[in-house]
Amino acid sequence: MIVQIGEVEITSSLIRTPAGDFPLAGSRWQVNEFWVPQRRTPLWAKIVGVAGICLTAGLSLLLLLVKASIPQGTVTVTVTSGPQQYVARIAVHDENDVININQQVNYVRSLAAL
């Protein structure tokens, strides 16, 4: 195995997926990003809010209303080789994950072109 992208394994001549094996030569790769911001109470607000109940007669509970936007998403990697196609969905938590997946796919694209 040279590279693994999600559940897709790439060897020197094959692409192994849960749906079967595809030839690497001539395969086409596509990457799509889907981001969704989630609003959550940060950990520091929870700790200070609960710890300050006795000192501020409950006013510190207003800190539990603080919300932070946390991006979460998935990256779909679609591989097509002849009539066969497979889509891998990979959960990502920050932009570094997306950059790594794109670098891996670009590397596999260069292998497929050989």
Side-chain angles (χ1 to χ4, degrees):
M1 181 175 62
I2 297 172
V3 178
Q4 182 169 0
I5 303 171
E7 63 266 17
V8 178
E9 297 176 352
I10 295 93
T11 66
S12 60
S13 62
L14 284 176
I15 303 166
R16 292 193 176 125
T17 69
D21 295 347
F22 307 161
L24 177 61
S27 61
R28 293 184 314 273
W29 295 78
Q30 182 179 6
V31 179
N32 294 313
E33 305 172 26
F34 301 99
W35 288 97
V36 178
Q38 291 188 347
R39 296 190 47 81
R40 294 186 180 163
T41 302
L43 182 61
W44 66 266
K46 292 176 185 177
I47 293 171
V48 173
V50 172
I53 290 175
C54 297
L55 299 174
T56 61
L59 288 177
S60 64
L61 290 178
L62 292 175
L63 286 173
L64 297 179
L65 298 176
V66 172
K67 299 292 181 192
S69 181
I70 301 169
Q72 289 189 341
T74 59
V75 172
T76 60
V77 177
T78 305
V79 57
T80 305
S81 183
Q84 301 167 315
Q85 183 177 28
Y86 185 78
V87 178
R89 288 173 183 80
I90 305 163
V92 292
H93 303 288
D94 60 19
E95 289 192 39
N96 290 332
D97 294 342
V98 177
I99 291 169
N100 288 336
I101 291 170
N102 278 307
Q103 288 174 343
Q104 288 177 329
V105 169
N106 286 334
Y107 176 64
V108 172
R109 283 178 181 148
S110 69
L111 293 177
L114 295 177

